[in-house]
Amino acid sequence: MFVFMFSYCLFHLDNCYILNVLLYRLQDVGKSKAEVAAKRVMERVSGVSIVPHFCRIEDKEIDFYNQFQIIVLGLDSIEARSYINSVACGFLEYDSDDKPIPETVKPMVDGGTEGFKGHSRVIIPGTTPCFECNIWLFPPQVKFPLCTLAETPRTAAHCIEYAHLIKWNEVHPGKPFDADDADHMQWIYSEALKRAELFGISGVTYPFTQGVVKNIIPAIASTNAIVSAACALEALKLISGCSKTVSNYLTYNGLDGTHINVSEFVRDKDCLVCGPGTLVELDMSSTLSEFIKMLEEHPKLLMSRASVTHEGNNLYMQSPEVLEQMTRPNLSVPMSELLKGAACATVHVSGMSENNGRKVSSLRKLRVAFKGVEDEASTMDTTV
């Protein structure tokens, strides 16, 4: 089974056939994209079963994603991609030789477009770079200094953001701005237009105001078709084994002709999301305090003043003071109890570590295993 994800559009297919169809009509404006897409495809293709889900991706339980063989992404933000990447990599388990256990690998195909540009990439956790390994590929978000907006606007975007970020709160204190409210957007446009006229700046239009406030990037149908076809092809390769997948990042640029390039990026073996982490063995009776002391003496870590988290829960925090006081009682509790009796568990620690003779702040992923306790995953038959 596949699970396809878009912004507020999530659906999975059982007997899956992929084709290019025009899914949406004018009368579909305001409806759930997932529900409309599912209905339209099932009308066009006999034998296909699609279950739409109209919700945020974070609203689904983690086990929901574990039922699928492949996850195909068409998300519109770095945050959403990072979330699903962490979910898929969270299913990944390693054997005693730090090799991925095949049954736990959840491949992902990620696609995205921006105007005439687009990309398609294949992520096989534990083998290829995951999203976090190459997050540097994404440029930083454009942000305007408030002093520029307030004192020396130079572009139409400056005038729009002034109305959006400054003027709205001055005129409507305590009233949240709703980007989907037409009256709110019209007010921002009017104020931005006044600001632009005051400083002799041109280019403020209602569509441009919507684009700046809602960070809208124009969608080009041909780009979307090419990138979605590339993603569908990679998903077909993964599920059928008919050919090698792309290695591992395909970019498309249709601005000046057609340019397609494939780049092979390198996986970060120390990645905090998809990496195996450093193995640390403990006695069943070892307390959290003893574990933190061990980190100071571990030759690969040499980490002092460590804070420890497990599955998003703070086991012990060095700061701020209020969290230190709240988590201090855990110091005397055995790690086996804090990790809920698991034979092997992943924890993240942050603190100060040695780097070329200097103390630097660092974050590490650790696999904690208890001596004398067998992990079910390590005894699995991994013969293919």
Side-chain angles (χ1 to χ4, degrees):
M1 289 192 296
F2 293 81
V3 60
F4 292 85
M5 266 169 280
F6 302 90
S7 177
Y8 285 91
C9 178
L10 179 68
F11 51 96
H12 67 264
L13 295 77
D14 291 318
N15 299 315
C16 179
Y17 299 86
I18 302 174
L19 71 165
N20 267 332
V21 292
L22 190 60
L23 297 177
Y24 304 106
R25 307 285 188 271
L26 186 61
Q27 62 267 28
D28 297 325
V29 174
K31 298 179 182 177
S32 160
K33 288 193 291 186
E35 294 170 358
V36 171
K39 180 175 180 291
R40 194 75 22 91
V41 173
M42 287 191 289
E43 289 173 350
R44 297 284 295 271
V45 184
S46 60
V48 66
S49 174
I50 303 176
V51 181
H53 304 269
F54 180 44
C55 62
R56 298 169 68 250
I57 55 176
E58 296 92 339
D59 292 342
K60 290 293 183 183
E61 296 291 334
I62 299 299
D63 287 342
F64 170 81
Y65 297 104
N66 200 22
Q67 66 182 302
F68 303 104
Q69 284 83 40
I70 296 176
I71 297 175
V72 183
L73 306 177
L75 298 167
D76 60 0
S77 73
I78 293 176
E79 291 78 12
R81 283 183 168 91
S82 290
Y83 175 77
I84 292 299
N85 179 76
S86 65
V87 169
C89 291
F91 300 127
L92 180 64
E93 297 178 12
Y94 287 83
D95 61 21
S96 57
D97 295 322
D98 284 352
K99 294 181 179 178
I101 298 174
E103 292 84 355
T104 66
V105 175
K106 193 79 62 180
M108 291 177 284
V109 178
D110 176 45
T113 65
E114 183 177 301
F116 286 100
K117 300 177 182 179
H119 80 266
S120 173
R121 67 188 298 184
V122 175
I123 298 174
I124 303 177
T127 301
T128 68
C130 77
F131 183 76
E132 293 296 330
C133 288
N134 297 143
I135 200 167
W136 53 266
L137 288 169
F138 293 87
Q141 295 280 339
V142 176
K143 295 182 179 180
F144 303 114
L146 287 179
C147 58
T148 298
L149 302 182
E151 303 295 338
T152 56
R154 297 184 296 275
T155 67
H158 288 166
C159 299
I160 294 167
E161 286 290 60
Y162 171 82
H164 174 216
L165 300 176
I166 298 176
K167 194 68 176 179
W168 175 270
N169 291 328
E170 289 179 354
V171 178
H172 307 95
K175 181 179 180 181
F177 173 76
D178 184 357
D180 294 319
D181 188 309
D183 291 336
H184 289 198
M185 190 64 71
Q186 181 63 44
W187 189 92
I188 295 295
Y189 165 63
S190 299
E191 291 299 316
L193 195 58
K194 295 176 186 176
R195 181 80 168 170
E197 291 173 351
L198 179 64
F199 285 88
I201 297 172
S202 61
V204 175
T205 65
Y206 186 77
F208 186 60
T209 301
Q210 288 181 303
V212 171
V213 173
K214 302 177 74 173
N215 196 26
I216 296 173
I217 299 171
I220 308 299
S222 58
T223 307
N224 290 346
I226 291 170
V227 171
S228 61
C231 290
L233 179 60
E234 295 308 319
L236 177 63
K237 291 178 187 177
L238 285 168
I239 203 69
S240 67
C242 66
S243 179
K244 280 185 165 183
T245 59
V246 65
S247 295
N248 43 51
Y249 196 94
L250 180 149
T251 55
Y252 165 77
N253 190 341
L255 192 59
D256 299 309
T258 299
H259 176 72
I260 294 178
N261 183 54
V262 174
S263 302
E264 185 169 3
F265 291 103
V266 179
R267 175 172 167 258
D268 180 3
K269 294 182 180 180
D270 295 323
C271 178
L272 294 171
V273 177
C274 70
T278 302
L279 179 63
V280 176
E281 290 188 303
L282 299 177
D283 293 321
M284 288 293 291
S285 60
S286 297
T287 64
L288 176 56
S289 178
E290 292 170 337
F291 171 67
I292 292 174
K293 180 65 177 176
M294 183 184 296
L295 299 181
E296 297 181 15
E297 302 168 354
H298 195 288
K300 289 185 178 180
L301 299 171
L302 299 175
M303 181 174 287
S304 59
R305 292 189 54 77
S307 296
V308 186
T309 62
H310 170 59
E311 295 182 345
N313 298 315
N314 297 324
L315 300 188
Y316 179 69
M317 302 298 290
Q318 295 280 352
S319 62
E321 185 178 349
V322 62
L323 283 182
E324 196 281 329
Q325 292 177 353
M326 289 174 61
T327 57
R328 190 183 303 165
N330 286 341
L331 290 173
S332 59
V333 179
M335 284 290 288
S336 57
E337 183 178 330
L338 293 173
L339 300 182
K340 304 171 184 176
C344 185
T346 299
V347 300
H348 289 85
V349 298
S350 60
M352 304 299 293
S353 63
E354 292 279 352
N355 186 2
N356 295 325
R358 297 176 56 198
K359 286 280 188 179
V360 295
S361 177
S362 61
L363 179 63
R364 294 285 186 271
K365 178 181 181 180
L366 308 181
R367 280 184 301 151
V368 176
F370 295 98
K371 298 173 184 177
V373 180
E374 282 201 2
D375 185 3
E376 291 181 7
S378 67
T379 59
M380 290 174 61
D381 181 5
T382 57
T383 304
V384 179

